[in-house]
Amino acid sequence: MSDTSLKQILARDPGEREFHQAVQEIIETVKPVLDRHPEYHRFGILERITEPERLIMFRVPWVDDEGQVRVNRGYRVEMNSAIGPFKGGLRFHPSVNISILKFLAFEQVFKNALTTMPMGGAQGGSDFDPKGKSDEEVMRFCQSFMAGLSHHIGQDTDIPDGGLGVGAREIGYLFGTYKKQRNEFSGVLTGKGLGWGGSYIRPEATGYGIVYFAKEMLATRNETLKGKTCLVSGSGNVAQHTAEKTIDLGGKVLTQSDSSGYIFDPEGIDKEKLSFVKRLKNIKRGRISEYIDKYSGAIFTEADRTLDYNPLWNHKAECAFPCAFEGEIREKDAHNLINNDIKLVCEGADRPLSSEAVRIFLDNKILYAPGKAANAGGVAVSGLEMAQNRMLLNWSAEEVDQRLKTIMKNIHRASLDAAADHGEPGNYLVGANIAGFIRVVNAMLDQGVV
Ligand code: NDP
């Protein structure tokens, strides 16, 4: 593809910074495939793969506890259904806009392809902020959101999942509304409660999968997680379960964070301390700073957004798992981590590293995994939840966990093999992008111009 055509694709949606970055990265890294297949140009592959099949936007009015009507925006970006029905998370956060959802949906297409399961890519959400809202407000919002979305989704068309700001509570309210509106109890959402169609290990899957992936990466250098010091950011679903599995495999987790700051516990966060974090964040919906009231050996550092680095990433450790938000490891953080002898950086969140930070880790031969490979365990187990719903049965936790391990091992192998085949041995970013891209493109070619 020429620079002119890339410019033309990007020029159609000016201002969509996050989406442009994702498109540019994919196109740059799959260049060896494009060079081998000049015919892709005639079939308009890049033009089609960067254009959502459908983009839905709707008004979400709801009534707050004071009786005041509030209005948020709801979205669903259905990016690509070449290999299966649309599948991907929902995000409720004030920063949500079309550019962010298009970037997430675009990444999701390749992530889902890497799992080798029949799932296309989508993402959706709202600029609603669940933080500080009562349960009743969250429920009324979810009911209105689903009233707008329910016409566009279905177990054979588009199956949304949880995500940032959308946990078990929100999925429950969304599912209840869908069921009532459509008079249909189906597998239209994943991340459901265990008692009503959910899968064992779905809540844990993203975090566990990240650590299984990291284990495979370390094994390529004959190392394990045992005894390794680890920095984990976030304290939500992904961060909690990344910390949990790291502890299980003998690693020492030193940090957890939220948007107000981070805690550093030099003694390590053990299982008991992690249970406290889970209760604090999932039930009490408190702030991470409360950790130091209970565990006085730890230090809390308040977030300071005027800094061009995050002090969390300036502690000495061997492994880093950014599990909170986009762009949380920037250039200076990358230098700080390298100066502190980091060995592995495994993305838990979607794109938590800036492009500069990625480049620095690759140049320094640090083991670096992109989120689309490392955090694919969440959507993979969602795929397993869909399979169980279709068969009206529940696999045991051990069975799902075993399948998750195998899937993560396979994604790791596919990424390494694709990187080596295309002249970039050990580069998981190039490998994951190419392996996912080839699968989607082959399906698109088979299905004609649609
Ligand atoms: P949660 O909402 O459960 O947790 C998000 C965490 O990030 C919270 O600790 C939150 O703190 C923190 N956070 C949010 N905004 C900021 C910010 N601006 N600065 C610092 N910290 C922040 O979300 P998940 O754990 O589910 O998702 C985390 C990431 O993982 C996202 O990028 C998501 O897209 C990605 N992901 C999630 C999957 C899943 O299965 N859940 C699957 C694949 C990817 P606070 O409590 O203050 O808001």
Side-chain angles (χ1 to χ4, degrees):
M1 135 154 297
S2 68
D3 287 350
T4 324
S5 3
L6 174 60
K7 276 193 192 127
Q8 278 166 353
I9 291 176
L10 300 183
R12 296 181 88 175
D13 304 294
E16 294 188 355
R17 189 173 52 84
E18 295 84 358
F19 179 56
H20 287 185
Q21 270 175 7
V23 168
Q24 257 165 322
E25 179 209 281
I26 289 280
I27 291 179
E28 275 165 24
T29 51
V30 302
K31 191 164 176 309
V33 183
L34 301 175
D35 291 344
R36 279 187 204 175
H37 295 279
E39 73 277 13
Y40 287 179
H41 177 62
R42 188 162 69 85
F43 291 112
I45 288 295
L46 290 183
E47 287 77 1
R48 282 194 282 151
I49 215 166
T50 52
E51 190 69 24
E53 287 185 32
R54 197 172 298 112
L55 198 156
I56 299 146
M57 182 172 162
F58 49 98
R59 180 170 69 199
V60 190
W62 56 282
V63 182
D64 71 16
D65 285 346
E66 275 70 54
Q68 175 66 48
V69 172
R70 309 262 207 116
V71 181
N72 285 97
R73 284 185 178 165
Y75 307 90
R76 186 75 178 161
V77 181
E78 297 182 334
M79 200 75 194
N80 193 300
S81 64
I83 58 174
F86 300 108
K87 174 86 199 126
L90 294 172
R91 173 178 285 200
F92 293 166
H93 192 273
S95 66
V96 163
N97 58 36
I98 289 180
S99 171
I100 287 180
L101 293 178
K102 276 173 70 179
F103 128 64
L104 288 169
F106 189 64
E107 294 272 298
Q108 193 81 42
V109 171
F110 306 104
K111 184 189 298 190
N112 293 2
L114 280 171
T115 68
T116 71
M117 297 165 100
M119 300 184 291
Q123 277 277 336
S126 172
D127 57 356
F128 173 76
D129 187 359
K131 221 180 300 161
K133 305 286 189 305
S134 69
D135 269 356
E136 291 71 24
E137 287 177 321
V138 171
M139 183 176 72
R140 288 194 290 275
F141 170 79
C142 287
Q143 290 173 337
S144 180
F145 181 85
M146 185 48 91
L149 185 65
S150 62
H151 321 290
H152 306 285
I153 59 175
Q155 63 171 351
D156 296 316
T157 21
D158 184 350
I159 306 99
D161 197 356
L164 193 119
V166 182
R169 171 181 63 168
E170 289 76 15
I171 291 290
Y173 295 146
L174 293 166
F175 184 79
T177 307
Y178 183 87
K179 179 166 64 79
K180 181 166 180 178
Q181 277 198 326
R182 304 290 290 257
N183 191 22
E184 177 189 302
F185 196 113
S186 69
V188 63
L189 290 165
T190 53
K192 300 187 289 297
L194 258 186
W196 42 279
S199 173
Y200 280 107
I201 307 289
R202 175 59 192 94
E204 295 85 355
T206 307
Y208 283 14
I210 289 160
V211 181
Y212 294 151
F213 197 94
K215 182 175 169 238
E216 295 296 319
M217 293 168 82
L218 287 168
T220 64
R221 297 193 181 172
N222 295 321
E223 295 200 43
T224 69
L225 265 170
K226 203 165 172 50
K228 292 228 164 30
T229 42
C230 301
L231 305 174
V232 179
S233 65
S235 52
N237 173 283
V238 178
Q240 290 170 15
H241 297 107
T242 297
E244 186 165 278
K245 190 49 74 180
T246 300
I247 300 166
D248 282 346
L249 297 189
K252 184 175 180 185
V253 176
L254 299 172
T255 55
Q256 289 272 286
S257 71
D258 65 18
S259 51
S260 56
Y262 77 96
I263 57 104
F264 173 74
D265 187 336
E267 313 249 285
I269 300 169
D270 59 18
K271 279 288 186 73
E272 186 219 305
K273 294 173 180 176
L274 188 62
S275 298
F276 170 82
V277 172
K278 285 184 179 180
R279 275 196 309 279
L280 175 70
K281 299 304 286 187
N282 306 350
I283 298 167
K284 207 174 148 219
R285 300 196 185 271
R287 309 309 297 155
I288 199 67
S289 54
E290 294 169 52
Y291 183 97
I292 60 165
D293 301 336
K294 173 100 174 147
Y295 302 107
S296 54
I299 302 158
F300 172 70
T301 305
E302 203 174 321
D304 178 352
R305 296 193 207 294
T306 62
L307 298 176
D308 62 351
Y309 70 100
N310 180 347
L312 187 156
W313 305 118
N314 202 11
H315 291 281
K316 194 164 178 59
E318 291 154 295
C319 304
F321 294 97
C323 296
F325 210 66
E326 283 97 72
E328 53 172 315
I329 294 189
R330 291 167 286 172
E331 193 172 347
K332 200 159 177 184
D333 300 308
H335 286 302
N336 286 340
L337 286 163
I338 286 176
N339 291 338
N340 280 316
D341 297 326
I342 198 79
K343 288 181 163 43
L344 170 142
V345 180
C346 190
E347 291 188 343
D350 289 312
R351 265 183 184 271
L353 270 60
S354 68
S355 310
E356 296 76 29
V358 171
R359 180 52 44 213
I360 291 165
F361 292 129
L362 290 176
D363 287 350
N364 283 275
K365 304 281 179 238
I366 304 298
L367 284 172
Y368 156 70
K372 74 168 71 65
N375 72 24
V379 74
V381 172
S382 284
L384 300 179
E385 182 173 330
M386 287 158 64
Q388 293 168 79
N389 290 165
R390 294 281 179 169
M391 294 186 287
L392 295 175
L393 53 78
N394 269 94
W395 292 324
S396 67
E398 292 71 29
E399 177 155 9
V400 178
D401 196 29
Q402 193 48 49
R403 285 175 187 264
L404 172 63
K405 279 184 195 153
T406 306
I407 291 168
M408 297 315 297
K409 223 179 165 114
N410 291 343
I411 295 176
H412 177 265
R413 177 49 47 206
S415 305
L416 269 192
D417 287 351
D421 283 353
H422 292 84
E424 294 270 0
N427 186 330
Y428 290 91
L429 177 68
V430 165
N433 284 348
I434 288 182
F437 182 79
I438 289 176
R439 184 151 189 257
V440 177
V441 170
N442 285 343
M444 288 173 73
L445 290 171
D446 287 346
Q447 292 169 26
V449 181
V450 289

